Amino acid sequence: MKLKNWYTSQEMSDICKISTRTIERRRNKLLDENPELDWFKTKSKPYKYNFKFMSEFTSPELFDLIKHNRSLSNTIECMHRDNTLEQHLSFADWDYFITVTYEEQKDRMECITLMNEIYDKIESQSSGHTRMFYTTETFSMDKGNHNHMVLKSDLKLYQIRELIEQLEPVGIIDVQRYNYELAAIFYICKEWSGNNSDLYWGVLGNNLKEDGDKIKRIKDASNL
């Protein structure tokens, strides 16, 4: 099965072993219930279906396996992006992958300021090596912004969450243990463009020179 983001109805039919008619009926039902659902591209034919639509026709266990295989495939592909920032940072060690959205709409500068404040707070309470790579990204449906970050810190997961919540009322905060198989760094750079207009990023740390030297040794040894 080719792993990609969008499939035609026939491709979806072949993968899920169901008729295209069943797919169309389910699509119409879901759009009636939620017209803003972003699983479908229906403005021009052939209609396209996001891979998440497969969850309607597979068991939760099978869909989790599909997502995991997609992530592994993406990781392998991304690791071949030679001499990019995301490839460089993927060789560093990380502890957490975090997404933060805010109760009130934030512009880009407000998000950048909050990321620096969050880092300063975390670094001041961590007892060792601390590092953060963050991006500020605009929502596709409105003008607000949100943040993704990967973090190295010896603080506990609940402590990280509490520090972020103390600084700013958040709408959604998701703090997860960093999984090296799931290409989180490449995910948060997904809107990267050559002129850097789609995404703002920052790297903060209390020992960045040592980090850079270590990453260079790893890359040299790997002939990358």
Side-chain angles (χ1 to χ4, degrees):
M1 180 178 100
K2 182 174 176 57
L3 300 173
K4 54 185 181 178
N5 289 328
W6 297 95
Y7 298 82
T8 66
S9 60
Q10 187 59 57
E11 289 172 330
M12 189 69 67
S13 171
D14 293 341
I15 293 167
C16 297
K17 308 302 180 185
I18 53 176
S19 69
T20 56
R21 181 60 182 155
T22 298
I23 289 172
E24 291 164 2
R25 285 199 299 266
R26 187 65 60 87
R27 177 197 70 213
N28 293 338
K29 180 177 185 295
L30 290 173
L31 286 176
D32 284 343
E33 295 171 350
N34 182 7
E36 301 300 321
L37 189 64
D38 63 355
W39 287 6
F40 312 106
K41 291 183 178 180
T42 58
K43 291 185 178 180
S44 61
K45 291 187 177 182
Y47 294 160
K48 296 293 183 66
Y49 300 81
N50 190 276
F51 85 95
K52 291 179 285 189
F53 187 46
M54 294 180 193
S55 63
E56 293 290 308
F57 309 107
T58 59
S59 67
E61 294 79 12
L62 178 56
F63 187 65
D64 284 344
L65 182 60
I66 291 171
K67 290 192 295 182
H68 187 71
N69 286 340
R70 282 174 51 83
S71 295
L72 289 176
S73 178
N74 289 339
T75 301
I76 293 168
E77 178 185 347
C78 291
M79 288 299 292
H80 287 87
R81 297 179 188 171
D82 293 343
N83 298 317
T84 59
L85 175 69
E86 56 264 45
Q87 187 204 54
H88 184 76
L89 292 175
S90 71
F91 285 94
D93 53 326
W94 303 97
D95 296 304
Y96 300 105
F97 172 45
I98 304 166
T99 297
V100 184
T101 65
Y102 305 98
E103 286 186 359
E104 296 183 0
Q105 195 174 88
K106 303 291 182 188
D107 63 30
R108 177 177 289 186
M109 199 65 238
E110 288 175 312
C111 284
I112 293 169
T113 299
L114 282 167
M115 286 295 99
N116 283 272
E117 291 176 354
I118 287 170
Y119 171 79
D120 288 342
K121 194 71 172 177
I122 291 172
E123 198 274 334
S124 70
Q125 298 196 27
S126 300
S127 60
H129 199 161
T130 307
R131 184 192 325 111
M132 176 193 288
F133 169 56
Y134 72 89
T135 61
T136 295
E137 180 181 342
T138 303
F139 286 109
S140 59
M141 300 300 292
D142 59 43
K143 296 180 180 180
N145 292 269
H146 61 285
N147 289 110
H148 299 292
M149 70 185 94
V150 290
L151 174 70
K152 177 174 177 57
S153 170
D154 59 6
L155 295 181
K156 303 293 187 183
L157 188 150
Y158 78 89
Q159 294 174 304
I160 299 293
R161 176 184 289 275
E162 287 177 354
L163 285 176
I164 295 173
E165 290 174 339
Q166 288 169 12
L167 283 170
E168 178 71 19
V170 296
I172 300 173
I173 176 171
D174 182 36
V175 184
Q176 303 177 25
R177 288 288 178 182
Y178 189 85
N179 186 331
Y180 285 88
E181 293 184 349
L182 302 185
I185 288 176
F186 300 105
Y187 170 76
I188 67 178
C189 289
K190 62 185 179 297
E191 300 298 333
W192 190 273
S193 66
N195 60 13
N196 297 349
S197 62
D198 298 322
L199 192 75
Y200 181 88
W201 61 270
V203 180
L204 305 168
N206 58 10
N207 210 338
L208 293 180
K209 184 180 185 305
E210 181 182 311
D211 289 337
D213 292 342
K214 180 179 179 181
I215 291 168
K216 185 178 185 304
R217 289 196 298 272
I218 294 172
K219 294 183 74 174
D220 287 346
S222 303
N223 293 319
L224 289 171

